[in-house]
Amino acid sequence: MIEDKNQQRTELSDLGEFRLIDHLTKNFEIKLKSTIKGIGDDAAVLDFNQNKIVVTTDLLVEGVHFDLSYMPLKHLGYKAVVVNLSDVYAMNANASQITVSIAVSNRFPLEALEELYAGIETASKIYNIDVVGGDTTSSTTGLLISITAIGEVENNHVVYRNGAKPNDLLVVSGDLGGAYMGLQVLEREKEVYKVNPNNQPDLEPYSYIVERQLKPEARKDVVKLLKDLGVRPTAMIDVSDGLSSEIMHLCKQSHVGCDLYENKLPLDPQVISTCEEFNIDSTTVALNGGEDYELLFTISQDDFPKIKANPNLSVIGYIKEKEAGMYLVTRAETRIELKAQGWKNFND
Amino acid sequence: MIEDKNQQRTELSDLGEFRLIDHLTKNFEIKLKSTIKGIGDDAAVLDFNQNKIVVTTDLLVEGVHFDLSYMPLKHLGYKAVVVNLSDVYAMNANASQITVSIAVSNRFPLEALEELYAGIETASKIYNIDVVGGDTTSSTTGLLISITAIGEVENNHVVYRNGAKPNDLLVVSGDLGGAYMGLQVLEREKEVYKVNPNNQPDLEPYSYIVERQLKPEARKDVVKLLKDLGVRPTAMIDVSDGLSSEIMHLCKQSHVGCDLYENKLPLDPQVISTCEEFNIDSTTVALNGGEDYELLFTISQDDFPKIKANPNLSVIGYIKEKEAGMYLVTRAETRIELKAQGWKNFND
């Protein structure tokens, strides 16, 4: 798709590495007071005064994390940023800067990279962050994106994974499994396209879940909401690899157990109907789907009244002593031990 | 070399992504007070009090930036860190933390990655930095390393590329061209090896330049030296792509010109003798070789007495008005306009 012959095509070799990064980032504005110096020197210079700094990094590889046959490059750029910001928000911090490095093969024309960077720019505007550095280089095959995100948080406001206490409530934002089912729909359409390239897919009935896959959002709003509600989570993690795996991380690091209730898992009607269509169990999808980029956190029971009316938040279980283990309580009241089945790329 | 059949071989797929990063980083100690939380949460947490923060990132790709047929993985890990720290020191800052992400194909066994991380750990000990985050993922081909380095610097002590003034002296640390000539020697031995795998190369006569290529050091010592001498550079950049290209960056950003003196270029005797052996002009190598990771900086003439006796520092020219242009003054007193001929990967 990205190699449409009708489009203008400028070879990367016409620019060279220095001019490429200059060209791609020339429209990027510095918006934040904490960015003293952005792109253009050996390093960016930042100033957070007394605040603490959080740093996180992610690597996205073509053929492993994304498939350009259905992922538009602009969406990919947007998603690559969002995935990293989600980790910053999961620390209860405010994302402020990113660096973006790409390795790219000569099969990509300059116009393709401009699309990618347009997505990065859009995300940086929407989330109010500055792009302060990066590197571009050639690769022997495919496209690879490495992003490091930096955020700031007031002293003592950091929320780690390890603070959950027995009797805390387990809460998740938004709904689960959408991104995974969106991927199933896109994979199916890709197979159809291979057989009949003239077939125009009708993705309208799947618009929500396809958007969850192609253009996810990080829950900056939830961090703000919790602050506004006066709720400080005792532990927090973002749901990138699947709810089950994230709950296990949180519980293990907090040295606690938990009961998770199947009937409390938040599912969008489109996820349920698509699961039926694909004959997949929606609970399995919610537990192991991954890429939801929702926030999973624990709160003290005292804070329950503050969140209970909020449509963005679902209480899905509660924290127990470590010895109680980590269990899913099904609709039939059966207890099933939680297992992590998130993405394991090396097992492919 | 790394796939020696006699070595133990543990497939990456036996571990999975989560356990891989845990395994590789389990020996990494947190050494610095500024590292509040390292690996193990959604993000690292850092505290620099009132100091400014510098951030830089680099991407190294197999087949583009390194060749594993002569680059041992431990050296590669070490070099990947050093390359990034060099950018931090070029801001007159002290490097403190790094994140390390790798994409790796299944052709690498776990033991190979352990070697790579052993090099990373060695560098982090020698330079006193903490490894605070990272990501491991599979790649369809080869190995790719993305490192982000973070440093801190007291307020108003940052040195940018853009502060050089007419009449300032142009100074470089160490010597130039060694890494490039080391690469030439290694490339030659690789060709010999292809023809006769039993041939044992004698690299002893090239030990210095081969080490400059395989195990470069970042000039943390020079930043400290300048501080001890009471010299604040007016502008600074590290020499990664070649002296000529770095001088041009520095002059362009400072809106100045310069005269660079060929007879002042610091060359190690081994560089000179190897250039003669390969029939390459040593000045060309010093100007365009790249990967020296020395510091290039400008100082006020008033500071000359403080540095003139130092064997680590060479005054190689001086800054002029912008209109004077950027020139190399040869031994024959000919003036040749400087051109950047540094690494341009996309032109390969």
Side-chain angles (χ1 to χ4, degrees), chain A residues 57-82:
Chain A
T57 192
D58 259 308
L59 200 55
L60 298 178
V61 180
E62 184 181 355
V64 178
H65 300 99
F66 56 87
D67 182 335
L68 290 174
S69 62
Y70 49 71
M71 182 61 137
L73 280 159
K74 195 169 173 178
H75 284 66
L76 176 62
Y78 190 90
K79 182 171 176 175
V81 174
V82 163

Side-chain angles (χ1 to χ4, degrees), chain B residues 36 73 150 158 177 215 282 308 319 335:
Chain B
I36 309 297
L73 279 158
I150 294 167
V158 185
K215 193 167 170 287
S282 61
K308 70 176 176 183
I319 299 299
R335 297 174 62 82

Side-chain angles (χ1 to χ4, degrees), chain B residues 243-244 247-248 258 260 287 326-328 336-340:
Chain B
L243 182 70
S244 184
I247 289 177
M248 292 176 73
C258 75
L260 170 69
L287 288 177
M326 297 173 279
Y327 285 90
L328 173 74
I336 301 173
E337 194 163 8
L338 285 181
K339 286 207 176 83

Side-chain angles (χ1 to χ4, degrees), chain A residues 99-101 133-135 146 148, chain B residues 55-59 84 87 146-149:
Chain A
T99 65
V100 182
S101 293
D135 198 6
S146 173
T148 297
Chain B
V55 179
T56 180
T57 192
D58 259 309
L59 199 56
N84 274 275
D87 281 319
S146 174
I147 293 187
T148 297

